[in-house]
Amino acid sequence: MSHIVIVGAGIVGLSVARDALKRGHQVTILEQGSSPNPRSASFDSHRMIRYHYGAFGGYTRMVTPAFDAWERVWSDLGTEHFENTGAVAISLQANDYGEKTLKAFQEVGQEHEVHDRAAMETLCPHLTLPAGAWGVTGGRGGPLFAGQIVTELTQWVLDRGAVIRAHCQVNAVDLERGVARLADGSEVTGDLLLVAAGAWISRLLPERFGNSPTFRQGLCYVDPPANYVESWRQAPAIVAIGDHGGYTLPDRRGAGLKFGHGGHRKLAKPEELGFGSDLAAESAVILGAFKPFLKEPQGYKPTRIQVGFYEMDSSRRFNVEMHTRGVVVTNCDGQMFKFGPLLGERIMGMFEGGQTAAALGRWAAGY
């Protein structure tokens, strides 16, 4: 039995803990907030899983095994926290996200269907699209109910012997010795030290990640016009509209209709801006990006902003680094949730000799 020490109780930390416990190891999780932590990037009403990844065909290939890993999670939890609404990328011009996704689907052999403008407006009656627009659907997709998943995984690992030290401040880590140094001066040592600290990684490893770009993102939950409540609920999740960076998740299981807009994110660390939000100002920016494509745009009423922070560099590829006794997972770009259980299984498989650290790193980067 080895001792696996995990910094961060988000989806990656909990997924590594789950697989480590199933393999018979001892697990200690060090979490700076409560567990689960509503301020972690993993905690939201729902997060999207889909095959659409633009030109990043490597991530499209990873989605089927990710779904397989989620099936194993549902078996462990005894319930499924996912709904298959499907997902669509809408193309507005040549070589945008939708067209890149279609080419990637064709290259990797992913089943898909192309819908012309009229078919798209039938599929999504709440949208009005410009001439020449079209969409591509393919495979399963839709909401993973993230808050419920993290809450139940937390309880699952506790019930199987994991130790979770909540409100535990880690000040530094030694990846070669597998040591986490706490604010009170004590140390916790593992045979493997996993650091999955999200936007707080620069504080733990300033020499390596001190200049990594950290972003604040606000996601807008809205009540749609009465005429379109049901059509939004039944429509597929929107991965992208052209290249304007917008996406939506439908209101299933009371999670709410959510709009996100990549152009709304800003460079900032959690300690700089905190978790407050300005509902009127932020919703105006996020919904404003969608207004050209919405019927009755004036009828959308924002209800709240979900604030999160994450690391993302220009590569937009996950970074998994192996050291002598430590693994760092970073650069997750708000995209890691769907791959969390699969990555947890792959990290523990690597720890037990199932693959090399180099192979794991290339796989995680989508190559």
Side-chain angles (χ1 to χ4, degrees):
M1 176 191 295
S2 296
H3 185 201
I4 312 301
V5 175
I6 298 166
V7 180
I11 191 61
V12 173
L14 289 169
S15 295
V16 171
R18 168 183 163 268
D19 199 60
L21 291 164
K22 296 181 77 167
R23 293 170 183 263
H25 299 299
Q26 177 188 358
V27 171
T28 299
I29 301 176
L30 310 174
E31 166 57 46
Q32 66 175 344
S34 60
S35 184
N37 185 353
R39 289 188 170 181
S40 75
S42 296
F43 201 93
D44 196 358
S45 296
H46 46 6
R47 303 291 296 275
M48 190 190 303
I49 184 169
R50 84 287 182 160
Y51 282 87
H52 305 63
Y53 264 93
F56 288 73
Y59 287 118
T60 295
R61 292 188 185 94
M62 287 167 59
V63 176
T64 293
F67 270 117
D68 293 341
W70 280 112
E71 291 298 331
R72 293 186 285 274
V73 172
W74 310 147
S75 178
D76 287 345
L77 297 181
T79 188
E80 181 176 355
H81 297 298
F82 164 71
E83 287 211 12
N84 182 25
T85 64
V88 63
I90 300 170
S91 177
L92 302 180
Q93 60 189 21
N95 205 39
D96 63 7
Y97 192 96
E99 184 167 294
K100 289 175 181 176
T101 294
L102 176 58
K103 290 178 180 178
F105 280 2
Q106 293 168 338
E107 289 171 0
V108 306
Q110 170 60 41
E111 63 170 335
H112 64 275
E113 186 175 355
V114 175
H115 310 264
D116 63 16
R117 176 192 179 190
M120 278 304 310
E121 291 187 348
T122 299
L123 190 62
C124 301
H126 38 274
L127 297 183
T128 179
L129 298 173
W134 54 273
V136 56
T137 56
R140 289 178 289 171
L144 290 162
F145 298 98
Q148 194 68 30
I149 290 167
V150 170
T151 298
E152 293 191 17
L153 271 178
T154 298
Q155 192 60 52
W156 191 92
V157 300
L158 283 170
D159 289 345
R160 282 149 188 83
V163 174
I164 299 181
R165 297 177 61 176
H167 304 289
C168 178
Q169 184 70 49
V170 179
N171 279 357
V173 293
D174 185 331
L175 300 172
E176 308 311 320
R177 297 193 301 125
V179 174
R181 189 169 301 111
L182 308 186
D184 63 7
S186 64
E187 295 183 344
V188 182
T189 302
D191 298 290
L192 176 69
L193 174 68
L194 173 82
V195 181
W200 291 267
I201 188 70
S202 61
R203 188 186 67 204
L204 296 179
L205 293 163
E207 292 184 2
R208 173 69 181 88
F209 297 107
N211 294 320
S212 295
T214 303
F215 291 87
R216 176 202 184 270
Q217 181 63 289
L219 305 171
C220 187
Y221 283 83
V222 303
D223 289 334
N227 290 338
Y228 299 114
V229 169
E230 193 59 26
S231 69
W232 273 110
R233 186 170 290 126
Q234 298 304 322
I238 298 174
V239 182
I241 302 179
D243 277 333
H244 96 309
Y247 67 94
T248 70
L249 267 173
D251 178 14
R252 293 292 185 95
R253 304 188 190 183
L257 173 61
K258 180 167 72 174
F259 285 63
H261 176 46
H264 179 56
R265 63 175 172 252
K266 60 182 68 176
L267 277 167
K269 296 183 184 297
E271 59 270 23
E272 294 170 344
L273 290 185
F275 287 82
S277 62
D278 183 328
L279 178 60
E282 296 192 58
S283 64
V285 173
I286 297 168
L287 292 178
F290 287 88
K291 279 188 175 180
F293 312 108
L294 297 177
K295 294 178 181 176
E296 299 185 30
Q298 71 284 353
Y300 288 77
K301 307 300 182 185
T303 59
R304 69 181 180 92
I305 301 293
Q306 176 76 23
V307 175
F309 291 84
Y310 56 82
E311 299 280 312
M312 182 185 74
D313 67 20
S314 59
S315 76
R316 304 199 71 162
R317 295 180 182 272
F318 303 148
N319 180 31
V320 178
E321 296 183 3
M322 181 69 196
H323 298 258
T324 305
R325 292 176 70 174
V327 176
V328 180
V329 178
T330 189
N331 210 46
C332 294
D333 178 19
Q335 298 284 343
M336 176 56 77
F337 196 94
K338 67 186 68 64
F339 296 115
L342 180 61
L343 180 61
E345 293 173 0
R346 296 292 290 257
I347 287 174
M348 288 309 303
M350 182 269 300
F351 175 70
E352 294 192 347
Q355 72 176 131
T356 66
L360 177 63
R362 285 187 56 80
W363 169 84
Y367 291 111

